[in-house]
Amino acid sequence: MIKVAMTSVYVDDVAKAHAFYTDVLGFETRIHMDLGGGTLFVTVGAPEGAQQDLQLLLEPGQGPIADPYRKAVREAGLPCIVFSVDDIGAEYERLQKLGVRFTQGPQEQGPVVTAVLDDTVGNLVQLAQPKE
């Protein structure tokens, strides 16, 4: 069986991304290593034992590959990643109270309800909940 073990999100600032993804979104730190020269290797994952085998790498987003990709995705208004939530209304309210800026509030899109937020480090992130 093949499973996803790690995926990357290119970010403007790894330390700032780490704070946002843990302190605001609620992920837990899985790996936090200083590789020297100001380079951090940081992964986060779902809290409370959920999806222990899946990590999100907060990847430095500068360079000839990442910069054009990130710019194009952002300009197209596309999320770089989608996170599932149990109650999108509650998450939307919780995150708004924490000052998170949403580019799209909760709305039905086919079989799901989605919302899109700005992760403060160069990306749009989508939250999704299956419709009941």
Side-chain angles (χ1 to χ4, degrees):
M1 171 193 322
I2 297 176
K3 300 188 312 183
V4 176
M6 184 182 295
T7 190
S8 299
V9 170
Y10 291 119
V11 298
D12 294 337
D13 180 310
V14 174
K16 183 178 177 183
H18 181 238
F20 181 82
Y21 279 74
T22 55
D23 298 342
V24 177
L25 294 185
F27 287 95
E28 66 182 20
T29 303
R30 298 283 176 79
I31 300 172
H32 190 285
M33 293 174 40
D34 186 341
L35 301 177
T39 303
L40 295 174
F41 183 87
V42 178
T43 69
V44 297
E48 301 171 16
Q51 295 180 305
Q52 283 298 304
D53 58 346
L54 179 58
Q55 297 180 73
L56 178 63
L57 173 61
L58 303 174
E59 184 90 43
Q62 298 74 29
I65 294 172
D67 283 333
Y69 166 77
R70 293 177 70 218
K71 182 179 179 187
V73 169
R74 179 77 185 217
E75 287 177 358
L78 299 173
C80 69
I81 195 162
V82 178
F83 297 131
S84 65
V85 295
D86 294 328
D87 184 339
I88 199 161
E91 281 299 320
Y92 179 75
E93 287 181 26
R94 180 184 77 82
L95 293 171
Q96 275 198 312
K97 287 178 184 173
L98 292 172
V100 173
R101 186 177 74 80
F102 281 82
T103 61
Q104 174 209 305
Q107 62 182 251
E108 292 187 13
Q109 292 188 341
V112 296
V113 179
T114 66
V116 178
L117 62 91
D118 183 322
D119 77 353
T120 74
V121 286
N123 303 296
L124 298 177
V125 173
Q126 187 173 68
L127 305 179
Q129 174 188 353
K131 288 194 311 193
E132 295 179 15

